[in-house]
Amino acid sequence: MTSSLFGIYTAQRALTLNQSVMDLISNNISNMNTPGYSKQRAELSQLTSGNFSSLPIKATQDGLGAIISDISRNRDIYLDNYYRRESAQYNYYKELNSNANLIEDITSELDNSGINNTLSSFYEALSYLATNPTDIVARNNVVQSALELTTTMNSVYTRLEDLRTSLVGDYTDPSTLDSSKLNIALGDLNDKLNSVAELNESITLSSSQGSIPNSLLDERDLLLDEISSLIPVDITSHSNGSVTLSIGATNLVSGSEQTGFFNAVSGDIDNPAIVQIENGTGGVLVSDASSVIGSGQIAGILEMGGSEANKLTIKSVMDELDTLAYSVADAFNAIQQNGRYIDDSVDPPELSNNTSNPIDAAQPLDADPLLFFVDDAGTFPAGSAGFAKIITVNDAIISNPYQIAAADAGFVGVEFSETGDGTNALLMSKMRDDSSIAGLSGATSEQFITNMVGEIASKANSIKNNFDIKEAVSNQVSLQRNMVTGVNLDEEMTDLIRFQRSYEAAARIFNVLDENIKTILNMVN
């Protein structure tokens, strides 16, 4: 009787074990498309009575069947760390590439609305004015083409400025930092760090109670993947199941506590936003974390919004536009103020009797020629910073194009009636081929634009190449990791059939033993 009951207990354990494994297989299949899910495996081991008999007939009862000793997750720590390192690099170049494409779109010279095209139209209008200085239509054409040029510069600069503000805010308006991409990313990062701390606590408690917190571990691993896409975080695992996260020498999560909080504060014109790491009470642990955030999406945002030398940044392009606008305007104004305009307040109109260089000092003097290019306040600034955003044509010249100083003021014997002189307008048009304009590094104004756009394209292409490389590596590592952690439907179906057959066999044994007991009971009766 003892032998038969012993067999029933073993068969019952076999039924329970095989049913549990099939339940686990069903769970794997159900989660095969769940982000972050790791395939789980039932680790089986023998169960023995501990009494090892020397008699073979009794030794058959030393084994009590099999038990599930653990439910393990398919993970590879090396591949996890490798993937997270590559993810940080990939997302860094992804952010750079996205913004480099936007910069190229904004500064594109492929259509007829670019700066180079409007500058060319401006020079052509001046050439026509040089041969038709008394033609009011020719003068209006110069004014209109100049307005198109300045409006295009304003537009390109403003779009670049808006792009930069959307990334890192405007240091002159701290409120813009709150809605910036950087601040949103830092808020997301802080939330994820806090979630890791909470999961550390849950995992530690669950493990201490003998539970298997696989779902919590999967959730935390997914968070670690997401954090690594934002910053290059160092991860240290501990025997109690918790992890410590750090960047550089600063701990961000330790046990169940978030010890490092990221915060963006306003900076200066070169770096509108500065990322700090603070403790829980707001004390500053790292005053400028940019040096330790070398990869990840946040590093890409900081680089594009900053002003690092020899890198493609939004500010570097804005500075180039300022240089172009200021240099061309300054050189043009110098020629304008060294000429004579037509005084149309008298009849017939005559050349201006400039105060600083009169034709006849005995005659009533006229004001010296006006500045042609000015800022939005009607003056010419002392420096180029931000000038491309506010460059415009003098309102007085827009109202009266006769104020364009097309005539030369320098030659001897000029008469008031010589309004047909276009010598100074010719000098203005020859600026097109002038490679000595201060600030343009030996290039003509049109060459300067071409060089600027070419340099942007070259740096953007370099970023694109690095992005393609990192994308390919990241995808390859992700595929390798998924082969370990992911659910393979063919494998699961094979295991399902295997344990189904084992279950059927255990059930058959159970039925046979049941029949044996019935036979014994009938014999007794």
Side-chain angles (χ1 to χ4, degrees):
M1 179 66 70
T2 302
S3 176
S4 295
L5 290 176
F6 178 88
I8 286 179
Y9 294 148
T10 303
Q12 186 271 334
R13 280 191 291 269
L15 288 172
T16 301
L17 180 144
N18 287 291
Q19 181 61 59
S20 297
V21 174
M22 286 191 287
D23 290 341
L24 183 61
I25 292 171
S26 176
N27 184 60
N28 281 338
I29 294 173
S30 297
N31 286 283
M32 65 181 301
N33 295 313
T34 302
Y37 180 79
S38 302
K39 176 184 175 179
Q40 299 184 21
R41 290 185 57 184
E43 303 296 339
L44 307 183
S45 61
Q46 295 184 61
L47 179 64
T48 63
S49 64
N51 299 319
F52 300 105
S53 174
S54 60
L55 297 176
I57 192 169
K58 291 185 177 180
T60 59
Q61 295 184 354
D62 289 343
L64 303 179
I67 60 170
I68 299 175
S69 58
D70 190 19
I71 304 295
S72 63
R73 298 186 308 144
N74 279 17
R75 303 293 299 194
D76 187 315
I77 296 177
Y78 168 77
L79 286 177
D80 282 342
N81 292 334
Y82 189 14
Y83 171 80
R84 288 163 186 159
R85 286 195 303 270
E86 290 302 324
S87 175
Q89 287 290 324
Y90 164 70
N91 282 281
Y92 165 69
Y93 281 109
K94 181 180 179 181
E95 184 66 31
L96 292 182
N97 185 60
S98 173
N99 287 288
N101 288 336
L102 290 174
I103 292 174
E104 283 195 293
D105 289 342
I106 292 172
T107 59
S108 174
E109 292 290 333
L110 296 179
D111 55 24
N112 293 327
S113 60
I115 296 175
N116 221 342
N117 185 73
T118 55
L119 184 59
S120 176
S121 297
F122 177 57
Y123 286 136
E124 289 170 2
L126 287 169
S127 295
Y128 184 77
L129 176 62
T131 57
N132 301 275
T134 60
D135 188 346
I136 188 61
V137 174
R139 288 175 174 270
N140 275 321
N141 285 341
V142 170
V143 171
Q144 291 305 313
S145 61
L147 284 172
E148 289 179 9
L149 172 62
T150 58
T151 300
T152 302
M153 287 184 174
N154 300 159
S155 175
V156 171
Y157 190 95
T158 300
R159 290 173 66 191
L160 289 169
E161 186 178 51
D162 289 345
L163 175 59
R164 193 185 193 205
T165 300
S166 72
L167 291 178
V168 293
D170 181 352
Y171 79 101
T172 63
D173 183 4
S175 65
T176 59
L177 187 58
D178 295 337
S179 59
S180 67
K181 190 173 185 178
L182 173 64
N183 200 55
I184 293 172
L186 291 179
D188 186 32
L189 174 59
N190 284 327
D191 289 343
K192 294 183 189 303
L193 292 173
N194 181 64
S195 296
V196 169
E198 292 176 349
L199 283 169
N200 271 347
E201 182 176 19
S202 299
I203 291 169
T204 302
L205 178 61
S206 179
S207 298
S208 67
Q209 295 174 344
S211 300
I212 302 175
N214 283 343
S215 61
L216 297 177
L217 292 169
D218 281 345
E219 186 177 350
R220 189 179 66 186
D221 278 331
L222 183 60
L223 280 171
L224 295 178
D225 289 347
E226 293 171 351
I227 290 171
S228 295
S229 72
L230 296 171
I231 58 172
V233 67
D234 296 319
I235 304 168
T236 304
S237 300
H238 302 288
S239 58
N240 64 355
S242 68
V243 293
T244 296
L245 305 187
S246 61
I247 186 168
T250 306
N251 281 353
L252 304 176
V253 174
S254 183
S256 61
E257 181 183 2
Q258 182 182 353
T259 56
F261 298 79
F262 288 85
N263 184 37
V265 297
S266 292
D268 53 28
I269 190 171
D270 290 327
N271 296 289
I274 296 175
V275 175
Q276 296 182 340
I277 303 178
E278 303 172 351
N279 59 26
T281 60
V284 177
L285 300 176
V286 181
S287 59
D288 185 355
S290 59
S291 60
V292 292
I293 305 177
S295 58
Q297 181 189 22
I298 291 175
I301 293 173
L302 288 172
E303 182 173 311
M304 267 295 169
S307 58
E308 189 173 349
N310 301 320
K311 296 287 184 70
L312 176 58
T313 65
I314 299 170
K315 186 178 184 298
S316 67
V317 181
M318 292 166 64
D319 288 345
E320 292 281 87
L321 284 175
D322 282 337
T323 297
L324 173 67
Y326 191 85
S327 298
V328 170
D330 191 36
F332 191 89
N333 283 344
I335 298 174
Q336 159 77 6
Q337 292 191 298
N338 197 39
R340 296 188 191 278
Y341 56 91
I342 293 178
D343 180 6
D344 64 337
S345 65
V346 296
D347 190 20
E350 59 184 29
L351 291 180
S352 59
N353 196 29
N354 298 351
T355 300
S356 61
N357 185 16
I359 296 174
D360 185 351
Q363 299 294 322
L365 298 178
D366 298 316
D368 286 332
L370 298 168
L371 292 169
F372 187 90
F373 289 111
V374 293
D375 59 20
D376 55 359
T379 61
F380 195 75
S384 64
F387 185 63
K389 180 181 179 180
I390 55 178
I391 183 176
T392 187
V393 179
N394 196 318
D395 284 341
I397 295 178
I398 296 174
S399 300
N400 184 9
Y402 282 120
Q403 291 289 325
I404 300 173
D408 186 8
F411 65 89
V412 179
V414 63
E415 299 291 338
F416 286 110
S417 60
E418 295 180 6
T419 56
D421 177 25
T423 306
N424 210 45
L426 183 61
L427 288 177
M428 294 174 178
S429 69
K430 286 184 176 180
M431 277 183 57
R432 183 174 201 165
D433 302 315
D434 189 356
S435 59
S436 63
I437 298 175
L440 299 189
S441 304
T444 67
S445 53
E446 291 173 312
Q447 288 172 345
F448 186 86
I449 299 170
T450 301
N451 294 343
M452 180 187 76
V453 173
E455 184 177 5
I456 292 172
S458 176
K459 291 181 177 179
N461 187 60
S462 176
I463 290 172
K464 177 67 165 57
N465 289 338
N466 285 323
F467 168 69
D468 288 342
I469 292 170
K470 291 301 178 181
E471 183 179 35
V473 173
S474 181
N475 289 340
Q476 183 179 10
V477 177
S478 178
L479 181 62
Q480 291 176 343
R481 191 171 76 149
N482 287 339
M483 290 175 65
V484 174
T485 64
V487 177
N488 185 306
L489 191 58
D490 291 337
E491 291 180 0
E492 298 304 310
M493 295 306 296
T494 300
D495 287 343
L496 181 61
I497 293 172
R498 184 158 58 95
F499 283 98
Q500 181 185 12
R501 294 289 180 266
S502 181
Y503 183 91
E504 292 170 351
R508 179 60 179 161
I509 292 173
F510 195 95
N511 289 335
V512 169
L513 293 174
D514 182 57
E515 291 295 327
N516 290 345
I517 293 174
K518 288 179 180 179
T519 300
I520 293 172
L521 289 175
N522 288 333
M523 291 172 64
V524 171
N525 291 334

